[in-house]
Amino acid sequence: MRLRVEFTTEPFDLDEAPTHAVVAREVIQAAELDAVDVGPFGNTAEGDADEVLTAVDSLLRQALASGATRVSLQVNVIEGEAP
């Protein structure tokens, strides 16, 4: 099964990326995921279910430890893939 994760971390800072946002992006970029898209207001990545879930676990732990007060995320099964 393949999954897509979309996430943002808060609090936002429009002048400079907060540490928690940088850490979360680094976790996703270092994971063995496909189609990683990092942006100022949201991030997405796709990959094998086990890889996505492992990356999400690490993302949550590290972003919260780095000062995030909220992590919003959505995980979807990629259409056409069997659950």
Side-chain angles (χ1 to χ4, degrees), residues 36-53:
V36 175
D37 183 23
V38 175
F41 300 107
N43 309 281
T44 61
E46 297 177 3
D48 177 72
D50 288 335
E51 296 296 333
V52 170
L53 296 173

Side-chain angles (χ1 to χ4, degrees), residues 62-76:
Q62 292 187 43
L64 294 169
S66 297
T69 57
R70 174 186 286 207
V71 179
S72 300
L73 66 89
Q74 181 172 311
V75 177
N76 293 303

Side-chain angles (χ1 to χ4, degrees), residues 25-45:
R25 291 175 188 158
E26 288 173 349
V27 166
I28 289 299
Q29 290 172 326
E32 294 183 25
L33 302 175
D34 309 323
V36 175
D37 183 23
V38 175
F41 300 107
N43 309 281
T44 61

Side-chain angles (χ1 to χ4, degrees), residues 7-11 16-31 36 38-39 43 54-68 71:
F7 70 92
T8 58
T9 61
E10 295 180 38
E16 183 176 335
T19 301
H20 59 80
V22 172
V23 166
R25 291 175 188 158
E26 288 173 349
V27 166
I28 289 299
Q29 290 172 326
V36 175
V38 175
N43 309 281
T54 296
V56 166
D57 177 65
S58 184
L59 178 150
L60 290 170
R61 292 175 189 277
Q62 292 187 43
L64 294 169
S66 297
V71 179

